[in-house]
C-alpha cells in the first residue's frame, strides 16, 4: 500500500462571490503570492528544456478553446441514458405500478434447501448451543412444514435464489450470526475457527445448473463507507441480491448521506437504478431511544409516492414492514425476480424473530404465492358485523390481535395490516376496507410517537379512500423528541395505554349495530326496502370511484 499525505488549500473561496480574505487576510496574502501548481510545473519544464514558452501558450489556447466550445454546446445538449455495467440491458424501467408476480418455490425443494442450510462438514465442530437451539429446531419445523421462523424463511429465500443462479451478498455488523443470534448463515468451527457457509455447499441438480454464491461479510462499524460500497455492488451487478443489515435500525444515521444523495435519488438524478436491500431492525421492545427505531418517517419522507394517487408511476423506493416470515421470503425473492430495480428498505424484526405467533407454514411460500402489500384480518368471520377497523403496520399487530381475541366484543373489530408503505397500496387497501361496509370507526394504531412512524405518511392516503363523512382517528404515543422513553417501565406503561385505548368505546359502537339490526328487521316486517348499508352509516363506499373501479381486480 502507498499512503500520500497531501496538504491542499482553496485559492478562490467557496464560490465566485466569496472573498476569503475577509476573514483570513494573512493566509490569503501568502496564497495569492504563490504561483499556481500548473504554472510552477510549466516553468520547470521550460527551464529543463522539455517545453518552450510558445508551445505552452499554444496548448493553453487550444484547451481554452475546447472548453468554450463544450460550454456553448451544453445549451443544446440532450442527455442520453448513462452507460451501465453489463446486465442492466436485460432489465427495464418501470412505467407503472406493477402487479405482484408469484415468487413461491416447490415445497420439497424448499425443505431440501432448509436442511442444507444447517448441514455442516464433518471437519467442522459446531457450537453446542447452535446445535441445540438452531439446527435441531429448524430441522424439526421443516419436517412439520409449519412454525417456520424468520431466519429459516430468509435462508430459504437465499438458497432458492442461489439455486436459480443469483448471487447473494449480505454485509453488516456480525451478520454471519445476526445481531440477535438468529441467522447463523456462517458456522465457525470451535476448534480451528474455520468458517463454513452451508448454503455454498448445495449440489446442482444438473451439469447445466449454475449455482450462485452467498457472500457473508461481517463489516466494520463504518456505516457510511459500508453502505456506499454495497450501493456500488447493487449498481455494478443487478443480479446480485446486495443486502446491508444495520445492527439496529437507527445505525443507518451514520450513512444518511448515502441514502439521500445516492440510494433514493440516483435514479431521478442520473437514471441509475439500484436494487440495494436495507434491513433495519425496528420495534419498541425496551431497547431504549437509540435501539428502537429505524426512523420509518424519514424513509417515507424520501419517497415521491403521490399523496392523492393521481398517477400510477412508480415511486423511487420501497419501504416495507412485514409481519410474517413468508412475507419476508417473498420480498427478498421479488427483489431480483422483477425486471427492474428499486431500493428496498425493510423495517426488520427483533422480537418477532422468536415470536411463536409470527411464524409461517411452508405452503405460504409454495408455487403461486407472492408478497401481499396488505393483509386482511384472518380472524374475521362476518365482515358485516365489524364496526371498528384498525389499520396497523408492523409488530404491534400481534399485541392488538391478542387483545382482540381476549375481548368479548372482539368480533366487531378488524385489524388490517399495511405491509408495504411505499408504494402505498391504495387499491389493495381499498379492496380490504370496503368489505367492512358497516364499519363507522377507522383507527390508525402505531407504537411510535405521533411525529414519527408511518402515521403522517399513511393518514392522508387512507383518508382519501374512506367513505364519505368517515374520518381516521389516531391511537398511539403523543409527540416525542426522542424515538421513545429510556425508562423501561414508562415505555411498558405507554404500550399498555395505547393498546387499551385502541379498544375503548367498543360497547357504544356495538350498540349502534344492534339498533341498525332492529331497524332492518322493522323494515322487513313492514315490507320496506332494506338499505344495502346500515341506517347508522351515512356513506357509500362506491363514491370512491378511483379505487372502486379497480377493486374487482383483487
Amino acid at each position: 500500500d502507498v499512503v500520500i499525505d497531501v496538504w491542499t488549500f482553496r485559492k478562490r473561496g467557496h464560490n465566485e462571490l466569496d472573498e476569503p480574505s475577509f476573514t483570513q487576510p494573512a493566509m490569503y496574502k501568502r496564497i495569492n503570492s504563490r504561483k499556481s501548481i500548473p504554472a510552477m510545473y510549466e516553468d520547470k519544464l521550460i527551464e529543463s528544456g522539455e517545453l518552450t514558452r510558445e508551445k505552452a501558450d499554444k496548448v493553453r489556447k487550444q484547451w481554452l478553446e475546447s472548453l468554450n466550445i463544450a460550454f456553448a454546446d451544453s445549451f443544446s445538449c440532450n442527455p442520453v441514458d448513462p452507460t451501465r455495467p453489463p446486465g442492466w440491458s436485460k432489465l427495464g424501467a418501470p412505467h407503472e405500478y406493477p402487479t405482484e408476480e408469484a415468487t413461491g418455490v416447490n415445497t420439497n425443494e424448499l425443505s431440501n434447501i432448509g436442511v442444507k442450510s444447517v448441514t455442516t462438514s464433518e471437519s467442522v465442530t459446531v457450537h453446542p448451543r447452535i446445535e441445540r437451539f438452531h439446527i435441531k429446531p429448524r430441522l424439526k419445523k421443516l419436517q412439520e412444514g409449519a412454525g417456520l421462523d424468520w431466519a429459516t424463511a430468509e435462508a430459504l429465500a437465499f438458497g432458492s435464489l442461489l439455486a436459480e443462479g443469483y448471487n447473494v451478498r449480505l454485509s453488516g455488523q456480525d451478520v454471519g450470526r445476526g445481531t440477535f443470534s438468529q441467522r447463523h448463515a456462517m458456522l465457525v468451527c470451535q476448534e480451528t475457527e474455520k468458517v463454513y457457509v452451508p448454503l455454498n455447499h448445495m449440489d446442482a441438480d444438473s451439469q447445466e445448473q449454475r449455482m450462485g454464491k452467498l457472500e457473508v461479510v461481517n463489516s466494520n462499524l463504518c456505516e457510511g463507507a459500508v453502505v456506499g460500497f454495497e450501493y456500488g455492488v447493487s449498481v455494478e451487478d443487478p443480479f446480485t441480491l446486495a443486502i446491508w443489515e444495520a445492527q439496529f435500525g437507527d445505525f443507518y444515521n451514520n450513512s444518511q448521506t448515502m441514502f439521500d444523495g445516492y440510494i433514493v435519488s440516483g435514479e431521478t438524478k442520473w437514471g441509475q437504478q439500484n436494487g440495494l436491500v436495507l434491513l433495519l431492525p425496528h420495534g419498541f421492545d425496551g431497547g431504549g431511544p437509540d435501539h428502537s427505531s429505524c426512523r420509518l418517517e424519514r424513509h417515507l419522507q424520501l419517497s415521491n409516492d403521490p399523496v392523492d394517487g393521481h398517477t400510477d408511476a412508480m415511486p423511487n423506493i420501497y419501504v416495507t414492514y412485514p409481519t410474517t416470515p413468508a412475507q419476508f421470503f417473498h420480498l427478498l425473492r421479488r427483489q431480483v425476480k422483477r425486471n427492474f430495480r428499486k431500493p428496498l428498505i425493510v423495517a426488520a424484526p427483533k422480537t418477532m424473530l422468536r415470536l411463536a405467533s409470527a411464524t409461517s407454514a411452508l405452503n405460504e411460500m409454495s408455487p403461486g404465492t407472492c408478497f401481499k402489500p396488505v393483509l386482511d384480518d384472518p380472524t374475521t368471520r362476518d365482515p358485516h358485523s365489524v364496526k371498528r377497523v384498525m389499520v396497523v403496520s408492523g409488530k404491534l399487530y400481534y399485541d392488538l390481535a391478542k387483545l382482540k381475541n381476549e375481548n368479548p366484543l372482539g368480533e366487531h373489530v378488524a385489524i388490517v395490516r399495511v405491509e408495504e408503505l411505499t408504494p402505498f397500496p391504495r387499491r389493495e387497501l381499498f379492496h380490504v376496507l370496503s368489505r367492512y361496509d358497516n364499519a363507522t370507526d377507522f383507527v390508525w394504531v402505531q407504537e411510535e410517537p405521533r411525529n414519527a412512524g408511518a402515521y403522517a405518511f399513511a393518514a392522508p392516503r387512507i383518508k382519501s379512500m374512506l367513505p364519505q363523512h368517515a374520518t381516521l382517528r389516531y391511537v398511539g404515543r403523543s409527540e416525542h423528541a426522542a424515538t421513545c422513553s429510556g425508562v423501561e417501565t414508562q415505555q411498558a406503561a405507554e404500550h399498555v395505554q395505547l393498546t387499551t385505548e385502541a379498544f375503548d368505546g367498543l360497547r357504544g359502537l356495538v350498540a349502534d349495530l344492534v339498533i341498525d339490526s332492529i331497524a332492518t328487521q322493522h323494515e322487513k316486517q313492514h315490507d320496506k326496502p332494506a338499505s344495502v348499508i346500515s341506517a347508522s352509516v351515512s356513506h357509500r363506499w362506491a363514491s370512491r370511484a378511483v379505487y372502486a373501479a379497480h377493486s374487482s381486480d383483487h
Side-chain angles (χ1 to χ4, degrees):
D1 295 340
V2 177
V3 178
I4 301 176
D5 189 8
V6 179
W7 287 67
T8 63
F9 58 85
R10 175 181 279 146
K11 186 174 178 66
R12 303 294 181 186
H14 296 293
N15 52 56
E16 292 84 349
L17 301 178
D18 185 37
E19 176 50 71
S21 63
F22 290 157
T23 53
Q24 296 157 299
M27 181 170 70
Y28 271 86
K29 281 181 181 178
R30 295 188 62 183
I31 290 174
N32 290 330
S33 67
R34 292 170 57 95
K35 281 189 174 183
S36 69
I37 291 176
M40 293 169 63
Y41 185 56
E42 179 183 327
D43 291 344
K44 183 177 180 179
L45 291 176
I46 292 173
E47 289 175 7
S48 65
E50 297 180 57
L51 184 70
T52 64
R53 182 69 64 185
E54 292 75 15
K55 178 66 173 177
D57 291 341
K58 183 179 179 181
V59 170
R60 186 182 299 105
K61 181 180 179 181
Q62 289 175 339
W63 177 245
L64 288 174
E65 287 178 351
S66 68
L67 291 178
N68 286 325
I69 291 172
F71 178 70
D73 291 343
S74 68
F75 291 99
S76 58
C77 176
N78 292 312
V80 296
D81 289 340
T83 302
R84 298 176 179 176
W88 284 101
S89 60
K90 300 177 183 177
L91 302 173
H95 298 294
E96 59 183 17
Y97 195 101
T99 57
E100 293 296 336
E101 300 291 341
T103 47
V105 179
N106 181 276
T107 53
N108 289 331
E109 183 180 342
L110 288 178
S111 184
N112 290 333
I113 291 171
V115 172
K116 287 288 187 179
S117 71
V118 289
T119 301
T120 63
S121 167
E122 293 181 357
S123 62
V124 176
T125 303
V126 177
H127 194 289
R129 288 175 60 186
I130 295 178
E131 180 73 38
R132 179 181 178 185
F133 296 109
H134 179 71
I135 297 178
K136 288 183 178 178
R138 177 171 294 184
L139 293 174
K140 182 175 182 294
K141 297 297 184 183
L142 287 167
Q143 188 174 15
E144 295 171 350
L148 303 180
D149 60 20
W150 294 74
T152 301
E154 180 187 76
L156 297 181
F158 288 174
S160 59
L161 289 173
L162 297 178
E164 294 175 30
Y166 297 98
N167 294 320
V168 178
R169 178 182 166 89
L170 174 66
S171 76
Q173 299 87 22
D174 293 322
V175 292
R177 69 174 186 269
T179 297
F180 310 99
S181 294
Q182 84 282 3
R183 179 174 289 120
H184 302 296
M186 54 180 279
L187 301 173
V188 179
C189 179
Q190 297 301 295
E191 297 177 357
T192 65
E193 291 199 353
K194 175 185 177 182
V195 175
Y196 188 87
V197 180
L199 286 176
N200 283 336
H201 295 270
M202 295 191 302
D203 297 324
D205 293 333
S206 64
Q207 292 182 346
E208 292 76 21
Q209 184 181 11
R210 188 189 79 83
M211 301 293 291
K213 179 183 178 182
L214 171 60
E215 190 174 7
V216 182
V217 184
N218 290 321
S219 58
N220 296 326
L221 278 166
C222 301
E223 288 85 356
V226 175
V227 171
F229 186 88
E230 301 308 327
Y231 169 76
V233 171
S234 69
V235 167
E236 183 66 23
D237 184 3
F239 293 99
T240 289
L241 178 62
I243 304 172
W244 177 71
E245 180 180 66
Q247 207 161 35
F248 289 92
D250 50 358
F251 283 26
Y252 94 92
N253 285 344
N254 296 321
S255 59
Q256 187 74 57
T257 301
M258 292 298 167
F259 276 69
D260 294 352
Y262 296 89
I263 296 171
V264 305
S265 60
E267 184 176 5
T268 299
K269 292 190 291 189
W270 315 303
Q272 179 63 70
Q273 293 184 47
N274 79 90
L276 183 60
V277 178
L278 301 129
L279 304 182
L280 309 179
H282 177 85
F284 288 42
D285 44 28
D290 296 317
H291 291 84
S292 296
S293 176
C294 75
R295 295 288 191 177
L296 273 171
E297 64 279 2
R298 292 184 182 173
H299 304 302
L300 293 172
Q301 191 180 41
L302 294 172
S303 169
N304 61 357
D305 181 273
V307 175
D308 57 5
H310 64 273
T311 176
D312 278 341
M314 281 293 299
N316 55 329
I317 56 174
Y318 277 76
V319 178
T320 63
Y321 196 170
T323 56
T324 73
Q327 288 279 82
F328 186 48
F329 167 88
H330 290 298
L331 271 178
L332 294 174
R333 284 185 52 79
R334 184 184 75 172
Q335 189 68 2
V336 290
K337 298 297 288 182
R338 282 178 160 174
N339 66 342
F340 64 90
R341 296 292 178 263
K342 293 282 184 180
L344 170 62
I345 297 172
V346 181
K350 294 191 293 180
T351 54
M352 282 194 294
L353 290 169
R354 293 181 174 86
L355 187 63
S357 53
T359 58
S360 296
L362 205 57
N363 61 14
E364 293 177 62
M365 309 172 214
S366 62
T369 58
C370 64
F371 175 77
K372 298 177 181 178
V374 176
L375 293 179
D376 198 358
D377 193 328
T379 64
T380 299
R381 288 177 293 182
D382 179 15
H384 303 294
S385 69
V386 170
K387 292 295 290 181
R388 174 175 295 167
V389 178
M390 298 181 190
V391 186
V392 65
S393 187
K395 79 176 187 69
L396 185 62
Y397 162 77
Y398 291 101
D399 296 322
L400 296 173
K402 183 174 182 294
L403 290 175
K404 173 187 172 179
N405 184 56
E406 296 169 352
N407 193 307
L409 299 177
E411 65 180 299
H412 303 291
V413 175
I415 307 173
V416 178
R417 284 169 279 178
V418 179
E419 302 274 290
E420 186 170 85
L421 292 160
T422 180
F424 196 75
R426 293 170 174 82
R427 296 171 187 170
E428 295 89 342
L429 184 57
F430 176 83
H431 173 67
V432 171
L433 293 181
S434 60
R435 293 181 62 230
Y436 303 109
D437 52 8
N438 283 331
T440 58
D441 191 26
F442 299 88
V443 190
W444 175 272
V445 191
Q446 69 175 34
E447 58 180 357
E448 299 88 355
R450 186 166 186 157
N451 60 322
Y455 174 69
F457 181 87
R461 291 163 173 80
I462 296 175
K463 289 176 181 177
S464 70
M465 66 179 68
L466 290 181
Q468 292 178 2
H469 310 299
T471 186
L472 182 71
R473 294 193 299 113
Y474 170 82
V475 171
R477 287 175 169 86
S478 60
E479 291 81 356
H480 204 265
T483 55
C484 66
S485 170
V487 180
E488 187 174 0
T489 53
Q490 180 181 343
Q491 191 176 138
E494 292 171 351
H495 185 80
V496 171
Q497 180 181 346
L498 76 90
T499 51
T500 302
E501 183 184 346
F503 289 88
D504 283 349
L506 266 182
R507 192 174 299 278
L509 290 174
V510 174
D512 289 342
L513 187 65
V514 173
I515 293 173
D516 289 335
S517 178
I518 294 173
T520 301
Q521 292 297 324
H522 179 75
E523 289 173 344
K524 288 182 178 179
Q525 291 175 0
H526 292 79
D527 295 327
K528 293 182 179 180
S531 300
V532 175
I533 299 178
S534 305
S536 66
V537 184
S538 59
H539 53 252
R540 293 292 184 271
W541 281 99
S543 65
R544 300 297 185 183
V546 65
Y547 302 110
H550 301 281
S551 62
S552 61
D553 299 337
H554 303 275

